[in-house]
Amino acid sequence: MKKRWIWLLLIFILQACEDPFHQKLPDSNISKTPPETHLQFFFEPDTTLYPGDTWIINGDTVTLTDTFVLGLDTTVSRKILHWWGDDPDGEVIAYYYQWSWMPEKRFTVKEMDTFYLPLKSAFDLYTFKVWAMDNDSLIDPTPAIASFPVINSPPSIEWKLNTLPPVFGSANVTHLSFSHHSFFWDVSDLDGLETITEILWALDDTSSWSMLPGDARSILLKELSPGYHRFYVKAKDVAGAESGVISFPDSLDDQHPNLWLVKEQVGDILIVNDYSGDQLNFTHQNFYKSVMTELVGENGFSVWEIGAGRTNVHNSIPYATEDIELNLSYFSKVFWFTYRGANSVSEAALALTRFVADGGILFMNNAMKAEIVPDTSWTFTQIDSVYSFSATGRLFNNTKINAFWNETDLDTSLQLSLSSNIADRLWAIIPGAASKLRYQLEDGSLNSSDYIGTPPVMIETQIKHGKTFYFSLPLYN
């Protein structure tokens, strides 16, 4: 009975009270919280003192015994900034940012960017603000802020690597060109290449400068007058700061020729001496010049000497194909000769192709030894294949070279023979489909030279409006 009254009492109490297990929570009076914004960037201190430097502080001069970093005085105009936001009751979905020169905020979902500050003077102060926005469209009322004192860094300029002719030994040598010349340079600026607005250049006289766009990296000078010249170039940025001036030639530069002479092109024929071994005594060149003088007179041709290695390297093949093309374009006929060693035929191949295709006549006397193989991919001629036709390279005086011009009388009158012995292993040239055989050695059984059969040594190739004659024996012999 007692237990029954206890149960009844408990039921009464529970019914009279609120549900102790499912009590109603009080209404929240907490509002949505906006996000907070953070900003991060990296910099290198631009004022650093080293042992032995002096520093004036509070009127006292202190001599430092250790390295001392003063901190951020000025920075460059290129800024890489990172930012992020924290939201205690939601998530950050976007940002607004604004530089001090911007009329209004800009929206972004990115959390980093690279900025190029618009330099207008040598020094200026720029402030950056960024606001985070959360998924309730609440914006941080106190943006992250950073100010940057910016000093303009002047641009720098230097010659593009390997574009100027080199020297071997003394720089007191003369670089030669016809009435044109290309120059190439590289520029840099800590504030970004976008801040370089002008490239200024001058020829001979720096009292007056000509302007190129800020992104120009080369120039081709044409119609140069005969004589000695000097080319100057410098860069200028948006704030008016200028780089140092570089020039060619430069008497203080021991890596490049100290003189540049423009030669006037003469006549309609060009002799190209691409045999640097001949450019000490000029035995081969003088022989060809004497032949050409008999044919067209001494004012009927010009000579272009291409150096290499240790000989005349300051007149090596030009860096720019366009310079090579222009060298050829002044003439309608080109006689290009090499012998034995390395040459510049491959570097000039594209220019040679264009010269012939435009109607030029090219006689390529490329007498290369067996170690240097003619390139069957050259497009200024068409060679199917090549082979070294003599194991010893011994070709003796009076060996006949038979002509194939499809006319008996012409073949007879144009038959050639060696005037001296040759002791180099040279190449036989198998003509390609578009080429015609013009000369081959007589059968080896008819002489005492060391070869078998009838090696072809000259072919003719028609290329659009012009022709190439490719001869693999030295005409000098």
Side-chain angles (χ1 to χ4, degrees):
M1 189 71 175
K2 183 178 181 181
K3 289 183 178 180
R4 181 180 177 188
W5 282 108
I6 293 174
W7 279 110
L8 288 173
L9 179 62
L10 288 174
I11 291 171
F12 174 78
I13 293 173
L14 290 173
Q15 288 178 343
C17 299
E18 293 184 2
D19 185 352
F21 305 105
H22 298 88
Q23 294 186 36
K24 182 180 178 181
L25 296 175
D27 293 335
S28 174
N29 60 359
I30 301 176
S31 61
K32 296 291 184 180
T33 303
E36 292 186 1
T37 316
H38 308 276
L39 181 62
Q40 182 183 50
F41 55 91
F42 301 92
F43 67 89
E44 293 291 337
D46 66 342
T47 301
T48 303
L49 300 178
Y50 298 96
D53 291 341
T54 57
W55 182 35
I56 299 176
I57 179 171
N58 297 327
D60 296 326
T61 301
V62 178
T63 301
L64 298 180
T65 59
D66 202 353
T67 300
F68 185 52
V69 178
L70 291 183
L72 181 63
D73 292 345
T74 55
T75 64
V76 297
S77 66
R78 181 175 181 266
K79 292 284 173 281
I80 301 177
L81 303 182
H82 299 258
W83 54 86
W84 70 96
D86 291 323
D87 188 26
D89 57 1
E91 60 178 332
V92 174
I93 61 172
Y95 302 87
Y96 287 91
Y97 69 85
Q98 185 177 24
W99 281 98
S100 51
W101 75 84
M102 293 180 176
E104 57 186 25
K105 301 174 184 176
R106 295 184 183 180
F107 177 82
T108 183
V109 296
K110 298 191 297 183
E111 292 191 326
M112 68 84 62
D113 208 342
T114 301
F115 301 95
Y116 294 90
L117 308 186
L119 295 169
K120 296 292 175 67
S121 60
F123 175 84
D124 210 338
L125 184 68
Y126 298 86
T127 300
F128 180 79
K129 299 179 181 180
V130 59
W131 297 261
M133 182 177 74
D134 67 14
N135 57 318
D136 294 312
S137 298
L138 295 178
I139 299 176
D140 184 358
T142 57
I145 302 175
S147 294
F148 302 93
V150 175
I151 188 169
N152 178 44
S153 298
S156 62
I157 189 169
E158 62 183 357
W159 296 117
K160 184 176 178 65
L161 186 64
N162 296 329
T163 61
L164 290 181
V167 295
F168 179 79
S170 173
N172 189 28
V173 290
T174 302
H175 171 67
L176 302 173
S177 76
F178 287 127
S179 57
H180 65 275
H181 206 294
S182 292
F183 293 97
F184 299 81
W185 54 85
D186 288 320
V187 297
S188 60
D189 195 316
L190 291 175
D191 299 310
L193 294 178
E194 295 80 1
T195 65
I196 299 176
T197 56
E198 299 176 22
I199 301 295
L200 303 172
W201 67 273
L203 184 65
D204 301 327
D205 180 9
T206 56
S207 63
S208 177
W209 294 83
S210 299
M211 187 180 74
L212 295 171
D215 60 355
R217 297 296 179 266
S218 66
I219 189 173
L220 173 60
L221 304 178
K222 293 183 177 181
E223 299 181 357
L224 297 169
S225 60
Y228 289 95
H229 291 284
R230 186 176 182 182
F231 175 74
Y232 303 83
V233 65
K234 61 183 179 179
K236 185 177 181 180
D237 70 14
V238 65
E242 296 183 353
S243 70
V245 178
I246 57 175
S247 70
F248 177 81
D250 182 351
S251 60
L252 300 179
D253 181 358
D254 61 0
Q255 302 298 312
H256 303 104
N258 288 171
L259 296 168
W260 168 33
L261 176 64
V262 172
K263 299 194 308 179
E264 183 179 11
Q265 49 269 16
V266 177
D268 195 41
I269 299 173
L270 176 65
I271 298 175
V272 181
N273 182 346
D274 193 13
Y275 174 26
S276 61
D278 183 57
Q279 294 173 27
L280 293 174
N281 298 318
F282 297 98
T283 305
H284 288 232
Q285 179 173 301
N286 289 336
F287 169 75
Y288 294 128
K289 285 176 64 176
S290 66
V291 172
M292 206 64 70
T293 299
E294 291 182 14
L295 293 174
V296 297
E298 61 182 10
N299 293 321
F301 64 93
S302 295
V303 177
W304 173 20
E305 298 162 5
I306 302 176
R310 299 185 176 187
T311 306
N312 196 26
V313 67
H314 49 281
N315 286 306
S316 53
I317 194 78
Y319 170 83
T321 296
E322 192 168 8
D323 278 334
I324 305 172
E325 287 184 48
L326 285 172
N327 277 2
L328 303 174
S329 70
Y330 301 125
F331 309 93
S332 65
K333 302 175 184 65
V334 171
F335 171 66
W336 189 301
F337 74 91
T338 75
Y339 190 38
R340 291 183 173 169
N343 55 58
S344 303
V345 175
S346 290
E347 289 91 334
L350 179 57
L352 290 167
T353 300
R354 291 173 177 169
F355 167 74
V356 176
D358 289 339
I361 303 299
L362 170 65
F363 194 105
M364 174 61 69
N365 187 202
N366 193 22
M368 297 194 296
K369 294 198 297 185
E371 292 81 6
I372 306 172
V373 185
D375 190 342
T376 56
S377 69
W378 286 332
T379 53
F380 63 84
T381 185
Q382 191 178 97
I383 301 171
D384 177 81
S385 57
V386 300
Y387 65 92
S388 180
F389 58 85
S390 173
T392 64
R394 290 196 295 269
L395 299 179
F396 293 115
N397 183 23
N398 293 323
T399 297
K400 290 183 174 57
I401 309 169
N402 294 324
F404 292 88
W405 298 93
N406 300 323
E407 293 183 25
T408 302
D409 292 342
L410 195 60
D411 291 345
T412 301
S413 62
L414 293 180
Q415 186 185 66
L416 304 175
S417 63
L418 295 181
S419 61
S420 60
N421 298 336
I422 296 177
D424 293 300
R425 293 182 295 124
L426 302 174
W427 294 98
I429 308 298
I430 306 299
S435 297
K436 299 176 182 178
L437 175 66
R438 289 308 185 206
Y439 280 100
Q440 68 182 23
L441 293 175
E442 66 177 349
D443 194 286
S445 63
L446 301 177
N447 57 59
S448 57
S449 295
D450 182 23
Y451 66 88
I452 298 173
T454 57
V457 293
M458 179 173 151
I459 60 175
E460 174 189 337
T461 309
Q462 180 85 34
I463 302 175
K464 292 186 178 180
H465 307 294
K467 290 182 179 180
T468 296
F469 298 91
Y470 186 101
F471 196 45
S472 64
L473 299 181
L475 276 179
Y476 177 79
N477 295 84

